[in-house]
Amino acid sequence: DIQMTQSPSSLSASVGDRVTITCRASQSISSYLNWYQQKPGKAPKLLIYAASSLQSGVSSKFSGSGSGTDFTLTISSLQPEDFATYYCQQSYSTLWTFGQGTKVEIK
Amino acid sequence: QVQLQESGPGLVKPSETLSLTCSVSGGFISSYYWSWIRQPPGKGLECIGYISNSGSTNYNPSLKSRVTISRDTSKNQFSLKLNSVTAADTAVYYCARVGLGDCSGGRCYSAFDIWGQETMVTVSS
């Protein structure tokens, strides 16, 4: 299995902050990396696919970068609606796996 | 606009079979891959498996001996069966569409682009 490790597991930030979340794969996955946002009691929402492509309808304040084993999700200016848990997910292998999640909380 | 609606019991007894159905509206299931994903309370996401547009399946090895994903194209539905359940199978279960992008070298970019609403399934006697 390809293990996905996110850091940090949680973070506290203020409205307007620039936030960066990191995801590391246990082996190279090229750009087969997606990012999701999940709010309590809701299904995850796809934000970024193929490491850096913005899903249709998603705000451009979200951006993704990286390839190989190291990836980042950046929120350019954190807004109240962005407080949520974020997950990375690889689609390189036939067993798709998620990171453990990063919870973004209000400072 | 494609929408997914899950249905099935919220309570299953230990050793019995968990059965969920996902009804797809606004699109044909024969055109995409479809997946089941679960999330134990307070924990992360786990992909259970998927069924392809041709009907072939792929399962998480940790669940492979107990899981079956099937589809009914006449009803535009796909289903999950997980047998011999235990308390460890208590989770929120999601159905999701797998959007496919460019393919190269036998691999296709893919992502869960549309999700059903959450269905909490508790395993308890």
Side-chain angles (χ1 to χ4, degrees), chain A residues 34 36 38 42 87 92 94, chain B residues 39 58 94 107 110 112:
Chain A
N34 308 311
Y36 301 84
Q38 186 179 34
K42 300 291 187 182
Y87 293 92
Y92 182 83
T94 54
Chain B
Q39 184 171 35
N58 187 61
Y94 297 100
R107 281 192 178 84
S110 59
F112 304 112

Side-chain angles (χ1 to χ4, degrees), chain A residues 86-106:
Chain A
Y86 294 84
Y87 293 92
C88 63
Q89 174 248 328
Q90 63 81 18
S91 60
Y92 182 83
S93 71
T94 54
L95 174 59
W96 299 327
T97 49
F98 292 87
Q100 82 280 13
T102 295
K103 187 173 184 179
V104 177
E105 299 175 302
I106 301 173

Side-chain angles (χ1 to χ4, degrees), chain A residues 1 30-34 36 38 40-46 48-51 55 87 89 91-100, chain B residues 33 35 37 39 43-47 49-50 58-61 94 98 100 102-104 107-113 115-118:
Chain A
D1 301 3
S30 184
S31 298
Y32 293 83
L33 190 284
N34 308 311
Y36 301 84
Q38 186 179 34
K42 300 291 187 182
K45 173 187 175 182
L46 177 64
I48 302 286
Y49 63 94
Q55 172 70 352
Y87 293 92
Q89 174 248 328
S91 60
Y92 182 83
S93 71
T94 54
L95 174 59
W96 299 327
T97 49
F98 292 87
Q100 82 280 13
Chain B
Y33 285 37
S35 184
I37 298 146
Q39 184 171 35
K43 296 188 177 181
L45 298 158
E46 178 183 42
C47 183
Y50 66 79
N58 187 61
Y59 302 129
N60 187 322
Y94 297 100
V98 181
L100 296 176
D102 295 338
C103 299
S104 174
R107 281 192 178 84
C108 298
Y109 287 99
S110 59
F112 304 112
D113 62 351
W115 295 66
Q117 89 287 358
E118 60 174 39

Side-chain angles (χ1 to χ4, degrees), chain B residues 37-114:
Chain B
I37 298 146
R38 71 180 183 178
Q39 184 171 35
K43 296 188 177 181
L45 298 158
E46 178 183 42
C47 183
I48 298 170
Y50 66 79
I51 186 164
S52 76
N53 53 353
S54 65
S56 62
T57 54
N58 187 61
Y59 302 129
N60 187 322
S62 69
L63 300 169
K64 189 172 184 177
S65 63
R66 300 193 291 128
V67 68
T68 302
I69 297 175
S70 60
R71 66 179 186 173
D72 185 334
T73 55
S74 66
K75 294 181 179 179
N76 223 35
Q77 296 175 336
F78 64 105
S79 298
L80 168 70
K81 290 189 185 301
L82 182 65
N83 57 38
S84 304
V85 297
T86 69
D89 297 309
T90 293
V92 169
Y93 286 76
Y94 297 100
C95 59
R97 188 180 80 170
V98 181
L100 296 176
D102 295 338
C103 299
S104 174
R107 281 192 178 84
C108 298
Y109 287 99
S110 59
F112 304 112
D113 62 351
I114 299 175

Side-chain angles (χ1 to χ4, degrees), chain A:
Chain A
D1 301 3
I2 297 177
Q3 308 300 320
M4 307 301 294
T5 304
Q6 291 180 231
S7 60
S9 296
S10 65
L11 65 89
S12 295
S14 300
V15 172
D17 283 353
R18 180 182 181 90
V19 169
T20 298
I21 298 168
T22 297
C23 178
R24 175 165 289 175
S26 60
Q27 68 180 74
S28 177
I29 58 170
S30 184
S31 298
Y32 293 83
L33 190 284
N34 308 311
W35 289 98
Y36 301 84
Q37 175 194 65
Q38 186 179 34
K39 296 181 180 179
K42 300 291 187 182
K45 173 187 175 182
L46 177 64
L47 300 176
I48 302 286
Y49 63 94
S52 60
S53 295
L54 192 67
Q55 172 70 352
S56 175
V58 172
S59 170
S60 58
K61 64 184 169 183
F62 294 100
S63 63
S65 65
S67 67
T69 60
D70 295 318
F71 302 87
T72 59
L73 172 71
T74 299
I75 309 171
S76 60
S77 178
L78 201 64
Q79 297 302 306
E81 63 270 21
D82 302 329
F83 292 94
T85 300
Y86 294 84
Y87 293 92
C88 63
Q89 174 248 328
Q90 63 81 18
S91 60
Y92 182 83
S93 71
T94 54
L95 174 59
W96 299 327
T97 49
F98 292 87
Q100 82 280 13
T102 295
K103 187 173 184 179
V104 177
E105 299 175 302
I106 301 173
K107 182 181 284 184

